[in-house]
Amino acid sequence: MVTCKEFWTKKTLVSLGLGQFLSLLITSTGFSSSELARRGINAPTSQSFLNYVLLAVVYGGIVLYRSKALKAKWYYYVILALVDVEANFLVVKAYQYTSLTSVMLLDCFSIPCVIILTWLFLKTKYRFRKFIGVAVCVAGLVVVVFSDVHASDRARGSNPIKGDLLVIAGSMLYAVSNVSEEFLVKSADRVELMGMLGLFGAIFSACQITILERNELKSIHWSAGAVLPFIGFAAAMFLFYSSVPILLKISGSTMLNLSLLTSGHVGCLDSHLCLS
């Protein structure tokens, strides 16, 4: 049995503190996306594009300065970037159809996905009671979706069930992204990971914007109310992406996703503020 003194180690305290910082950042991105959706701005890929550009410039610049060969195969980063871009697209797109609260809660579906993926591919050991917890988590998500289907309050969104399904799909991709990042950050390098993710993420995002969001961007009235949420989203995402590999290296992707559970509670508060 683990004693209280053994549990409260420096590593545990750092993991908890960093996890709560990440939870605050993800809540900030949710609030920014909700505000843009409230203003009728539907450009999910464009929201993430600036974040990828910042990652490519900052971390890619460091990689170039080092002038060293990549520690991981370049096509690993291509696949990771594609998965990450589409995960962001699906979840941010969901804000057009369902409430901030539902998005925050359903995004927790990534937890059971991460546990299963790390168990299968990274050979992480879990006790049986953790799988029971996964079952409880999935049951809770089913209840959230069911409540959205029968919700009479249209403040929950124009099409709650569609939004919920988008979040669940995005959460599955987030799980793949998190587990892949955990593998790469432990086998390669954090700066290399962020630089290459930013580079390929920016390329994929630019292509997707050209195909799907070009007309939407032209129709936006670029006032301060529209620009500030974009900037806030990008800044929070950049800090989030920069900090995630640190927590992944210390405690793994399961700890990361468990830490983000608290963002759902803050999200509930933010949604009440938005609707009041």
Side-chain angles (χ1 to χ4, degrees):
M1 181 180 291
V2 179
T3 65
C4 185
K5 185 176 181 181
E6 290 173 330
F7 178 79
W8 292 109
T9 61
K10 181 179 179 181
K11 178 181 176 181
T12 303
L13 292 173
V14 170
S15 297
L16 290 173
L18 186 56
Q20 293 312 297
F21 175 64
L22 291 173
S23 182
L24 178 62
L25 290 174
I26 207 67
T27 301
S28 300
T29 64
F31 184 79
S32 299
S33 296
S34 183
E35 179 64 17
L36 288 171
R38 189 181 68 81
R39 292 176 176 274
I41 298 175
N42 181 19
T45 308
S46 301
Q47 286 181 232
S48 303
F49 175 69
L50 182 55
N51 167 54
Y52 290 120
V53 171
L54 289 173
L55 291 173
V57 171
V58 175
Y59 293 102
I62 298 174
V63 172
L64 289 175
Y65 177 77
R66 289 176 174 176
S67 300
K68 295 181 180 179
L70 297 178
K71 295 182 180 180
K73 302 293 185 182
W74 64 271
Y75 49 81
Y76 288 170
Y77 296 117
V78 172
I79 297 171
L80 172 61
L82 180 60
V83 170
D84 198 72
V85 167
E86 297 312 317
N88 284 328
F89 171 79
L90 291 174
V91 172
V92 175
K93 183 75 172 178
Y95 286 96
Q96 303 293 324
Y97 303 104
T98 191
S99 68
L100 174 62
T101 305
S102 292
V103 173
M104 289 293 185
L105 292 174
L106 289 169
D107 203 24
C108 298
F109 184 62
S110 58
I111 295 173
C113 295
V114 162
I115 289 177
I116 292 172
L117 290 173
T118 51
W119 178 59
L120 289 174
F121 297 105
L122 300 185
K123 308 303 180 184
T124 305
K125 302 295 182 181
Y126 296 106
R127 295 183 179 181
F128 180 71
R129 59 187 177 185
K130 290 190 177 180
F131 288 102
I132 295 177
V134 170
V136 173
C137 180
V138 173
L141 297 175
V142 172
V143 172
V144 173
V145 175
F146 184 78
S147 68
D148 271 354
V149 172
H150 295 278
S152 58
D153 180 9
R154 290 298 94 194
R156 297 179 70 86
S158 60
N159 193 338
I161 186 62
K162 181 177 181 180
D164 292 348
L165 292 176
L166 287 173
V167 179
I168 291 173
S171 297
M172 294 172 68
L173 292 181
Y174 272 142
V176 174
S177 176
N178 289 162
V179 174
S180 300
E181 283 188 42
E182 180 180 350
F183 171 76
L184 289 170
V185 80
K186 290 179 178 178
S187 61
D189 177 73
R190 182 177 72 90
V191 174
E192 176 183 303
L193 169 62
M194 289 294 97
M196 298 303 287
L197 175 60
L199 173 63
F200 292 116
I203 293 172
F204 285 129
S205 295
C207 294
Q208 192 157 302
I209 289 169
T210 303
I211 297 170
L212 300 177
E213 299 178 8
R214 183 172 51 187
N215 293 331
E216 177 68 26
L217 291 177
K218 290 180 180 179
S219 65
I220 296 174
H221 175 62
W222 291 103
S223 62
V227 173
L228 289 178
F230 265 101
I231 296 175
F233 182 90
M237 284 290 278
F238 176 75
L239 291 173
F240 180 80
Y241 273 65
S242 298
S243 304
V244 160
I246 300 174
L247 184 57
L248 288 175
K249 194 163 187 176
I250 295 174
S251 302
S253 48
T254 302
M255 177 63 179
L256 166 65
N257 284 272
L258 288 173
S259 297
L260 298 183
L261 277 174
T262 54
S263 66
H265 299 294
V266 182
C268 293
L269 174 61
D270 285 341
S271 66
H272 291 310
L273 290 174
C274 290
L275 298 175
S276 61

